[in-house]
């Protein structure tokens, strides 16, 4: 490419070439390939708009120094001037006089752009650090593009165990170095046996300019077809077991060359698929010092490197840390060099040797988890309730340190209660979030009456019981409400505690004189239960009388338990007007004390002149008219209910 007359090679240029070539081919850079065969970026009229190299960072190598360095990143205006090569000629050429020329190196990765460095023209070959620090695991792409009518030759290298890989790349062959130069190392695995590998070279400018060949793992050297000016040449090889291993592609400029330098493009394919080979590598001249190097530390407050941390470069003077998730910047400082600290996440520096330190801490907050029992209107703290959060099992109350974020809390089940999983707990940085597990308690309340059927004013026992399967003790008060006609000489409430292993009971003997229902109440739940007791009725009697005139009268008698004694009801029904009606109602006998009849209460037709009076065991009604009359009174006796009712009679 661009043939020019070739004057004698200067002694200094040959010395530089020898230094570069010897170190690259036989020294530490041999592990990377390339040596003194520069890579090149062509600005115009080239089938490859940009040079692209891949850097792979394995998980076990994350954070190790990348050591990405470049030799001669700028376009050296003194490299080739007025048809003459400068000292240390590297192959920079400008095809239009006074044409601006710029080369940009851009490294991108999983998190975006790591750096972008632009280099314009100068008058020297420099050795610079592009990126010295470590990177998180992943695949990174280095792109080199040039703008202007010319070409910029450069060399790249990385620190072990990293390397530069590419499937399509350009090199710059120089007549100052006419020894075999390693262009690339291609690893051919056993899986490719039987498939076709294609090696392509472009614009070698014919067999008089240079020769190129491949050396197979068994040592066999096979010449590659030299491409003509502006043309491509392709060589295809079917992979056999003997060809499994490393293929080395070489290039040598021939003494018959008519060019100072020649840009050549290579491409490697497996079938139609691009395959990458390892390229690059160089050793700088011994007298050359690293012109610009930036060392960046990203450490925790104790000074320890933060795993997964890295940094990004903005232009040529700004550096910012790249922190892994869960870290918060604390501060930054310039350990060595010149510049100014803008913020904990940005430092501006001057070109030269700089060492910058960023300090970050793990973002951390706390999450407090408590448990309460919802018991009536009370919220009772619960201790020792297990729960899960962030893969850990803890018991309440607990405070756990966590990185900021939302964390689901899974409560355990408690017998005798229900719990709804709470919303995730939110942990703020340098703060404390809180989650409360709410257990709604289930309880049972029963009221048992034994016996549940009694004679009037006999004694039964009421037993109220509060139960739960909840394992924690619950404070409570159990009380009884007795209806009218029920009495007890014992306390009707009891305070206490109950749980799954200990019920709360209230037993009370009660005298029951009428059929009714008692109520048990459990505080503070306001839980109610009822129990009924039936009182046996004392009985009743009925008598009917008819006289010759046809008048008819019917008398019935009933007795019901009363708070004191019994209420006796006499019902008299007549169909004619009668005078001096006599109701025979004997009092029961046989008790410890004589039976006593209380005052009479008579209800009936308002026009009747009843005027009741008691004459011994007889109740006398002065005058009655057709209708029904009800006579009630209270009977005081200590006889049992089945001996209270006596048989009545009537006459007039």
């Amino acid at each position: 490419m661009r043939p020019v007359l070739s004057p004698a090679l200067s002694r200094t240029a040959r010395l530089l070439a020898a230094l570069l070539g010897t170190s690259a081919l036989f020294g530490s850079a041999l592990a990377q390939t390339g040596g003194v065969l520069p890579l090149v970026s062509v600005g115009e009229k080239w089938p490859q708009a940009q040079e692209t190299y891949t850097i792979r960072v394995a998980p076990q190598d994350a954070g190790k120094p990348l050591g990405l360095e470049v030799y001669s990143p700028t376009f050296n205006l003194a490299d080739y001037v007025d048809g003459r090569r400068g000292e240390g000629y590297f192959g920079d050429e400008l095809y239009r006089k006074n044409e601006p020329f710029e080369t940009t190196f851009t490294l991108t990765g999983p998190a975006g752009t790591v750096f972008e460095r632009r280099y314009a023209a100068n008058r020297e070959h420099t050795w610079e650090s592009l990126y010295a620090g470590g990177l998180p695991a992943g695949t990174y792409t280095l792109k080199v593009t040039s703008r202007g009518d010319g070409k910029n030759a450069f060399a790249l290298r990385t620190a072990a165990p990293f390397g530069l890989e590419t499937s399509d790349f350009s090199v710059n062959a120089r007549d100052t170095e006419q020894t075999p130069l390693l262009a690339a190392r291609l690893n051919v695995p056993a899986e490719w046996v039987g498939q076709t590998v294609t090696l392509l070279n472009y614009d070698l400018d014919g067999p008089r300019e240079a020769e190129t060949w491949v050396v197979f793992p068994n040592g066999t050297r096979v010449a590659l077809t030299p491409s003509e000016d502006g043309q491509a040449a392709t060589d295809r090889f079917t992979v056999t077991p003997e060809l499994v291993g490393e293929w080395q592609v070489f290039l040598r400029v021939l003494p018959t060359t008519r060019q100072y330098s020649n840009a050549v493009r290579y491409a490697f394919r497996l079938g139609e698929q691009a395959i990458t080979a390892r390229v690059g590598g160089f050793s700088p001249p011994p007298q050359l010092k690293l012109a610009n190097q930036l060392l960046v530390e990203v450490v925790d407050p104790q000074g320890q490197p933060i795993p997964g941390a890295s940094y990004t470069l903005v232009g040529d003077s700004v550096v910012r840390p790249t922190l892994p998730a869960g870290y918060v910047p604390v501060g930054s400082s310039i350990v060595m060099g010149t510049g100014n600290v803008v913020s904990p996440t940005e430092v501006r520096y001057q070109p030269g040797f700089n060492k910058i330190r960023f300090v970050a801490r793990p973002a951390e907050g706390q999450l407090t988890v408590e448990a309460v029992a919802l018991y009536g209107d009370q919220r009772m703290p619960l201790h020792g309730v297990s729960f899960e959060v962030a893969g850990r099992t803890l018991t309440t109350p607990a405070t756990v340190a966590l990185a900021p974020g939302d964390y689901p809390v899974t409560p355990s089940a408690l017998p005798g209660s229900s719990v709804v999983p709470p919303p995730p707990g939110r942990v703020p940085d340098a703060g404390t979030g809180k989650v409360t597990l709410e257990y709604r308690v289930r309880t049972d309340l029963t009221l048992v009456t034994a016996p549940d059927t009694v004679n009037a004013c006999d004694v039964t026992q009421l037993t109220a019981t509060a139960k739960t399967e909840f394992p924690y003790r619950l404070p409570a008060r159990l009380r009884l409400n007795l209806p009218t006609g029920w009495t007890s000489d014992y306390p009707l409430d009891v305070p206490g505690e109950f749980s799954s292993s200990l019920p709360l009971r209230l037993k009370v003997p009660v005298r029951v004189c009428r059929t009714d229902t008692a109520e048990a109440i459990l505080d503070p739940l306001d839980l109610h239960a009822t129990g009924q007791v039936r009182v046996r009725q004392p009985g009743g009697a009925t008598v009917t009388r008819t006289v010759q005139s046809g008048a008819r009268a019917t008398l019935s008698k009933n007795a019901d338990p009363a708070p004191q004694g019994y209420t006796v009801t006499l019902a008299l029904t007549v169909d004619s007007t009668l005078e001096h009606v006599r109701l025979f109602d004997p009092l029961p006998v046989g008790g410890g004390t004589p039976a006593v009849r209380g005052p009479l209460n008579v209800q009936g037709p308002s026009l009747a002149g009843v005027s009741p009076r008691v004459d011994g065991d007889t109740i006398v009604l002065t005058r009655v008219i057709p209708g029904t009359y009800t006579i009630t009174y209270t009977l005081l006796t200590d006889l049992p209910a089945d001996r209270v009712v006596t048989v009545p009679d009537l006459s007039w």
Side-chain angles (χ1 to χ4, degrees):
M1 179 179 181
R2 302 284 184 180
V4 297
L5 292 177
S6 176
L9 179 63
S10 70
R11 188 171 184 273
T12 304
R14 291 186 183 277
L15 176 61
L16 175 59
L19 289 171
L20 289 172
T22 301
S23 176
L25 292 176
F26 305 106
S28 61
L30 184 62
Q32 297 196 32
T33 80
V36 31
L37 181 61
L39 301 166
V40 67
S41 173
V42 182
E44 296 180 6
K45 303 172 185 177
W46 196 243
Q48 195 160 306
Q50 64 185 12
E51 302 294 315
T52 302
Y53 311 96
T54 299
I55 301 173
R56 306 182 195 279
V57 179
Q60 67 270 19
D61 297 326
K64 294 180 180 179
L66 179 64
L68 178 59
E69 297 174 355
V70 60
Y71 177 76
S72 189
T74 58
F75 184 89
N76 187 352
L77 293 173
D79 205 33
Y80 177 77
V81 180
D82 297 330
R84 297 189 306 274
R85 291 169 299 189
E87 185 175 345
Y89 175 69
F90 211 55
D92 294 349
E93 290 188 9
L94 191 63
Y95 304 135
R96 296 180 192 172
K97 195 172 183 179
N98 300 323
E99 172 85 5
F101 196 92
E102 181 183 73
T103 300
T104 302
F105 294 78
T106 305
L107 182 66
T108 58
T113 300
V114 179
F115 69 78
E116 183 175 274
R117 300 282 295 274
R118 288 184 172 87
Y119 293 92
N122 71 349
R123 292 187 174 275
E124 61 179 339
H125 294 299
T126 60
W127 168 29
E128 298 195 21
S129 170
L130 289 176
Y131 195 90
L135 290 170
T139 300
Y140 295 81
T141 301
L142 176 64
K143 295 183 178 180
V144 184
T145 58
S146 291
R147 185 166 56 87
D149 192 5
K151 62 180 179 179
N152 182 15
F154 57 90
L156 293 167
R157 72 178 184 180
T158 59
F162 307 106
L164 296 159
E165 299 177 10
T166 182
S167 61
D168 300 72
F169 64 102
S170 305
V171 296
N172 198 38
R174 298 165 297 150
D175 73 342
T176 54
E177 183 61 70
Q178 296 183 10
T179 57
L181 300 178
L182 188 59
R185 297 179 186 270
L186 175 64
N187 183 48
V188 175
E191 291 78 6
W192 293 2
V193 171
Q195 300 186 62
T196 299
V197 171
T198 301
L199 305 183
L200 177 148
N201 68 85
Y202 170 83
D203 202 26
L204 193 67
D205 292 341
R208 289 178 54 87
E209 292 295 324
E211 62 177 343
T212 181
W213 66 91
V214 59
V215 176
F216 293 128
N218 58 9
T220 302
R221 169 177 166 166
V222 177
L224 300 177
T225 305
S227 56
E228 297 293 338
D229 182 17
Q231 302 295 318
T234 301
D235 294 278
R236 294 180 174 85
F237 302 91
T238 300
V239 179
T240 63
E242 292 77 15
L243 298 184
V244 171
E246 184 179 82
W247 295 14
Q248 298 178 353
V249 178
F250 287 89
L251 173 68
R252 185 174 77 91
V253 175
L254 298 175
T256 55
T257 181
R258 295 177 298 170
Q259 302 180 82
Y260 288 150
S261 66
N262 185 9
V264 179
R265 176 177 176 265
Y266 284 97
F268 302 148
R269 299 290 185 269
L270 177 66
E272 299 298 325
Q273 177 184 356
I275 52 176
T276 60
R278 183 166 284 202
V279 301
F282 70 91
S283 292
Q287 74 277 14
L288 191 63
K289 293 184 178 180
L290 194 61
N292 291 299
Q293 186 177 38
L294 175 66
L295 302 179
V296 179
E297 296 178 338
V298 185
V299 298
D300 62 21
Q302 289 72 43
Q304 298 301 312
I306 296 174
S310 183
Y311 61 93
T312 57
L313 304 176
V314 182
D316 298 332
S317 61
V318 175
V319 58
R320 295 170 181 162
T322 302
L323 300 175
Y327 276 81
V328 177
V330 174
S332 58
S333 61
I334 300 175
V335 179
M336 188 178 299
T338 304
N340 64 292
V341 174
V342 178
S343 70
T345 58
E346 182 174 314
V347 172
R348 297 182 181 273
Y349 59 93
Q350 298 297 323
F353 182 82
N354 293 279
K355 185 176 182 180
I356 294 171
R357 177 180 293 132
F358 292 101
V359 180
R361 64 171 176 82
E364 187 175 80
Q366 293 181 322
L367 182 64
T368 296
V369 181
E370 300 175 346
V372 297
L374 301 183
Y375 178 64
D377 57 357
Q378 301 180 22
R379 297 174 64 87
M380 298 172 49
L382 300 177
H383 294 261
V385 178
S386 64
F387 63 92
E388 290 185 6
V389 63
R392 300 168 59 184
T393 300
L394 304 168
T395 58
T396 60
T399 300
V400 57
L402 295 168
D406 292 339
Y407 293 86
V409 178
T410 304
S412 61
L414 287 180
S417 67
S418 60
V419 61
V420 176
R426 175 156 294 180
V427 178
D429 181 39
T432 302
K434 184 178 181 180
V435 170
T436 300
L437 308 178
E438 296 181 339
Y439 289 84
R440 191 168 298 278
V441 179
R442 295 192 298 265
T443 58
D444 293 320
L445 177 63
T446 59
L447 178 59
V448 177
T449 56
D452 60 357
T453 302
V454 297
N455 292 325
C457 296
D458 275 0
V459 175
T460 188
Q461 179 166 274
L462 273 59
T463 303
T465 305
K467 293 181 179 180
T468 184
E469 294 181 2
F470 198 62
Y472 293 83
R473 288 178 175 266
L474 303 171
R477 177 176 292 273
L478 194 54
R479 54 192 176 93
L480 290 173
N481 282 342
L482 301 182
T484 302
W486 293 29
T487 59
S488 178
D489 296 330
Y490 292 84
L492 297 180
D493 68 341
V494 59
E497 296 179 333
F498 69 109
S499 66
S500 58
S501 61
L502 180 67
L504 179 62
R505 287 190 177 91
L506 174 59
K507 293 183 178 181
V508 178
V510 176
R511 184 178 300 277
V512 179
C513 295
R514 53 175 293 187
T515 299
D516 212 328
T517 300
E519 182 180 51
I521 303 172
L522 180 63
D523 293 327
L525 297 177
D526 196 31
L527 193 61
H528 294 244
T530 59
Q532 185 183 51
V533 178
R534 294 179 61 257
V535 175
R536 298 187 185 94
Q537 294 297 327
T542 302
V543 62
T544 301
R545 293 286 185 267
T546 303
V547 297
Q548 290 181 351
S549 60
R552 182 180 178 86
T554 301
L555 177 64
S556 63
K557 178 181 179 181
N558 287 287
D560 295 300
Q564 292 185 345
Y566 299 88
T567 298
V568 178
T569 302
L570 298 172
L572 173 65
T573 301
V574 298
D575 59 2
S576 300
T577 300
L578 301 175
E579 304 287 344
H580 299 292
V581 177
R582 300 174 65 83
L583 306 179
F584 180 68
D585 180 30
L587 296 175
V589 294
T593 57
V596 177
R597 190 196 316 268
L600 301 179
N601 180 24
V602 180
Q603 292 182 338
S606 59
L607 297 179
V610 177
S611 301
R613 59 183 176 85
V614 177
D615 183 11
D617 288 337
T618 301
I619 299 172
V620 179
L621 304 180
T622 304
R623 181 175 180 272
V624 295
I625 61 176
T628 298
Y629 300 82
T630 301
I631 304 164
T632 59
Y633 61 87
T634 299
L635 175 65
L636 302 178
T637 179
D638 58 2
L639 290 171
D642 57 350
R643 295 177 58 190
V644 169
V645 178
T646 58
V647 179
D649 200 359
L650 62 87
S651 63
W652 59 88

